Amino acid sequence: MKIATYNVNGVNGRLPVLLRWLEETAPDVVCLQELKAPQEKFPEAAIKDAGYSAIWHGQKSWNGVAILSRNAQVEEVRRALPGDPEDTHSRYIEAVINGDFLLGCLYLPNGNPVPGLKFDYKLNWFKRLTAHSKELLSKDFPVILTGDYNVIPTEKDVYKPERWVDDALFRPETRAAFQELVAQGWTDAIRKLYPDEKIYTFWDYFRNAYGRDAGLRIDHFLLSAHFDKRLKAAGVDRHVRGWEKSSDHAPVWIEITGK
């Protein structure tokens, strides 16, 4: 099974790019982030015509997450991260896939500027995610948490790290929170298969970042230990970032075997 994650940066504005990529690569399950569309404006018909069913959690103008499926059975179990009933941001959706594993699709807050309320919100959201992920692991059921984490884990995950020292994506507090999460028993799928390679998933629109390969790795797959022998491949569809009117992120994917 091929599972992908893609921050589309506006599902309606980037719909031709999304549909072209789906047709080209045909992933079985896709997690989308940053839909930037209210619930009723999600392009369900176009997605269905492309051969995919969908569940989604929209929000006007900002955020929004979705899970698309080509053949797999998707049973939604959650569409908000627990821990703060006052948080109305559409940043998390969770489903059981084929009765085999739990898939969490997340869009972690950016957090800029630092310091400030947005950075505080990011760190608090991280704490809620860490608490929830600990609860998920305690159930001894296979789990995949994927999406746009807005975290640059290490210096090898960013072009010229010295330029990012004051950014919320690379702050010591952010990286420490990510490491605390991973230390619960999660595997960073890309780094398991490619421990030392330069791999980016995001290139800014400014200063010809994509052309210069001045990127970041901020879209991640975290896998529970159940997938230690099931993970067979992983990669980034980097070329999609170079398409006209594409998102500033590229799709990231993994391939897993059956139980």
Side-chain angles (χ1 to χ4, degrees):
M1 175 180 284
K2 185 173 185 178
I3 307 166
T5 182
Y6 188 16
N7 180 323
V8 290
N9 191 14
V11 69
N12 288 300
R14 317 277 182 199
L15 188 58
V17 171
L18 174 61
L19 296 177
R20 176 183 173 186
W21 170 70
L22 289 174
E23 182 178 12
E24 178 184 284
T25 63
D28 298 290
V29 179
V30 182
C31 292
L32 300 179
Q33 304 87 39
E34 211 170 350
L35 303 179
K36 294 183 178 178
Q39 193 72 7
E40 67 276 10
K41 295 294 185 180
F42 183 82
E44 183 180 15
I47 296 295
K48 185 176 181 180
D49 288 344
Y52 288 81
S53 61
I55 59 173
W56 67 95
H57 186 197
Q59 182 179 340
K60 185 178 180 180
S61 300
W62 307 105
N63 307 319
V65 286
I67 299 176
L68 315 184
S69 170
R70 191 160 57 96
N71 296 307
Q73 178 184 354
V74 178
E75 178 189 353
E76 181 181 329
V77 293
R78 175 179 293 278
R79 61 168 50 206
L81 192 65
D84 185 0
E86 302 299 317
D87 185 2
T88 59
H89 288 197
S90 301
R91 293 184 175 273
Y92 190 80
I93 193 166
E94 189 178 279
V96 175
I97 309 298
N98 284 344
D100 176 26
F101 63 92
L102 188 77
L103 179 64
C105 171
L106 63 95
Y107 177 43
L108 205 139
N110 177 284
N112 282 303
V114 179
L117 293 176
K118 291 184 176 181
F119 190 56
D120 294 342
Y121 174 63
K122 181 190 188 88
L123 295 181
N124 286 330
W125 206 94
F126 232 134
K127 290 178 181 177
R128 290 162 55 200
L129 177 63
T130 302
H132 182 56
S133 63
K134 183 178 181 181
E135 174 70 18
L136 293 177
L137 288 178
S138 73
K139 297 178 181 179
D140 194 25
F141 186 73
V143 184
I144 297 173
L145 294 177
T146 188
D148 178 0
Y149 281 75
N150 270 315
V151 177
I152 305 168
T154 69
E155 290 192 353
K156 65 184 173 185
D157 297 306
V158 55
Y159 176 82
K160 294 193 175 180
E162 66 275 9
R163 296 185 177 181
W164 291 84
V165 292
D166 294 322
D167 193 280
L169 279 64
F170 198 52
R171 287 285 301 172
E173 302 95 322
T174 301
R175 287 187 284 162
F178 186 76
Q179 291 307 317
E180 180 184 353
L181 173 64
V182 173
Q184 291 178 337
W186 300 95
T187 296
D188 179 342
I190 289 288
R191 283 303 173 213
K192 179 179 181 179
L193 297 183
Y194 304 100
D196 301 312
E197 282 84 345
K198 181 181 74 172
I199 297 175
Y200 301 143
T201 67
F202 170 94
W203 296 261
D204 209 324
Y205 289 127
F206 304 106
R207 299 179 298 279
N208 189 34
Y210 178 69
R212 296 185 296 115
D213 199 21
L216 321 169
R217 188 175 75 95
I218 57 176
D219 304 89
H220 309 300
F221 273 92
L222 295 189
L223 314 182
S224 67
H226 305 83
F227 292 96
D228 284 352
K229 295 181 180 180
R230 294 178 61 182
L231 176 65
K232 297 304 177 184
V236 180
D237 290 339
R238 183 188 186 280
H239 66 286
V240 176
R241 173 60 180 85
W243 291 353
E244 186 177 357
K245 297 182 179 179
S246 186
S247 170
D248 41 10
H249 294 250
V252 186
W253 54 268
I254 63 172
E255 289 183 1
I256 59 171
T257 60
K259 297 179 183 179

